[in-house]
Amino acid sequence: MSRSALIVIDMLNTYSHPDAEILIPSVREALPRIVNLIDRARDGAVPVIYVNDNFGEWRSHHGEIIDTTLSGPYGELVEPVLPDDDSLFVVKARHSIFYETPLTYLLSQLDVDRVVLCGQVTEQCVLYSALDAHIRHLNVTIPEDAVAHIHPDLARASLQMMERNMGASIRKAVEVEF
């Protein structure tokens, strides 16, 4: 029997990077569907795992990351997706959620063989994470309307690559079943 986990990628964000201005409208559009996925996963006792950049702050922990992002100018984009007490949290330093993180081990401990990836950015962290999940023999689902992008054309191409080259299931968030 298959066991899924919902992975929330980089949604705890200060939006203080060069591409933020063009990313934020896409985040606003995807946010309600991300929140819905998180709620549905929690209601179904599906593990919700936040994998987030640490913004180069190597002494920080997830509480500090949350505090920093909530107190920033875009806290309203962070507040709806905050981890709850049952959420798991992995800090990453690069684009892939797997690169130099304990995520592979965590997923094996949870007997997860399918990951649902939501968050940001479709053509960067989501794409690289989907590839790394695929090479780890995990089934990958991408809710195309629950991932935010910087460049719409690259996001479309990335989703197409994930589907064709990695066998990812690309679907609307409401169609995702845990």
Side-chain angles (χ1 to χ4, degrees), residues 95-152:
H95 296 82
S96 173
I97 59 178
F98 292 96
Y99 182 75
E100 303 278 329
T101 75
L103 185 59
T104 301
Y105 181 75
L106 174 60
L107 294 173
S108 73
Q109 292 298 297
L110 297 171
D111 291 322
V112 167
D113 63 356
R114 174 179 170 249
V115 292
V116 177
L117 306 179
C118 68
Q120 58 187 316
V121 168
T122 308
E123 65 271 29
Q124 295 174 16
C125 299
V126 175
L127 173 63
Y128 306 143
S129 298
L131 175 60
D132 279 354
H134 172 72
I135 65 174
R136 286 167 174 77
H137 303 286
L138 294 166
N139 295 310
V140 178
T141 298
I142 310 290
E144 64 185 338
D145 54 350
V147 287
H149 59 268
I150 295 170
H151 303 286

Side-chain angles (χ1 to χ4, degrees), residues 21-60:
E21 192 172 306
I22 55 178
L23 170 63
I24 289 171
S26 181
V27 172
R28 288 188 196 286
E29 187 176 329
L31 190 60
R33 288 176 292 281
I34 295 169
V35 170
N36 182 266
L37 282 168
I38 293 169
D39 290 345
R40 288 176 35 223
R42 287 176 178 159
D43 289 347
V46 171
V48 178
I49 305 170
Y50 289 74
V51 183
N52 215 90
D53 281 330
N54 68 352
F55 314 117
E57 298 295 326
W58 292 105
R59 285 181 231 141
S60 67

Side-chain angles (χ1 to χ4, degrees), residues 37-102:
L37 282 168
I38 293 169
D39 290 345
R40 288 176 35 223
R42 287 176 178 159
D43 289 347
V46 171
V48 178
I49 305 170
Y50 289 74
V51 183
N52 215 90
D53 281 330
N54 68 352
F55 314 117
E57 298 295 326
W58 292 105
R59 285 181 231 141
S60 67
H61 56 77
H62 75 277
E64 289 176 45
I65 292 170
I66 291 168
D67 291 345
T68 298
T69 58
L70 281 175
S71 65
Y74 296 99
E76 81 276 4
L77 297 178
V78 175
E79 201 264 326
V81 294
L82 287 175
D84 67 6
D85 291 339
D86 294 323
S87 299
L88 303 169
F89 199 93
V90 174
V91 175
K92 71 180 184 71
R94 301 297 295 168
H95 296 82
S96 173
I97 59 178
F98 292 96
Y99 182 75
E100 303 278 329
T101 75

